[in-house]
Amino acid sequence: MYAESTAVVGPLATFSEPHSYDLCEFHAERLTVPRGWEVVRHEIDVEDSGPTGDDLLALADAVREAARPEPPRNPADDGRGTRRGHLRVLPDIT
C-alpha cells in the first residue's frame, strides 16, 4: 500500500535500479517523505569511504581482461562478435 511505503537513504548506488535516485549529501540529509512513510537511513562510515582491496582487485582483473589480445577472427563469423570471458567483443562497423 502506497501510504505504508519506506524510503531508504544510504550510499550511492553501484548499479541502476528503477525507482531509486542518487542524492547529494545536502539533499539526502533534508529528505522528507509523505505522511505514513518510514525512512531508513544507512549511515556511511566516513573513515571507510575509499575503495576496498576487493574493489582494487576487481578493477585490476577487468584491466587485465581488456588488455588480452583478441583471438584470431573466424572468417565464418556471422558478425555478432566474439566472447571473451563474460564480455562480448563486437566488430567495428565503421
Side-chain angles (χ1 to χ4, degrees):
M1 184 174 194
Y2 180 81
E4 297 172 358
S5 295
T6 301
V8 179
V9 180
L12 293 176
T14 57
F15 55 92
S16 179
E17 280 192 37
H19 310 292
S20 70
Y21 308 94
D22 288 332
L23 300 173
C24 67
E25 183 179 359
F26 177 84
H27 288 100
E29 289 175 357
R30 289 158 180 79
L31 177 77
T32 60
V33 297
R35 185 174 293 132
W37 283 37
E38 180 181 355
V39 177
V40 176
R41 294 186 184 273
H42 293 279
E43 298 301 324
I44 302 171
D45 183 5
V46 180
E47 298 295 322
D48 190 30
S49 61
T52 66
D54 288 341
D55 294 334
L56 296 175
L57 287 174
L59 180 59
D61 288 343
V63 169
R64 276 199 243 20
E65 176 70 26
R68 284 162 104 199
E70 283 191 39
R73 189 167 215 186
N74 183 351
D77 187 2
D78 63 1
R80 294 188 202 161
T82 56
R83 293 196 60 85
R84 292 175 63 191
H86 64 284
L87 304 174
R88 179 176 295 276
V89 179
L90 300 176
D92 187 4
I93 59 171
T94 58

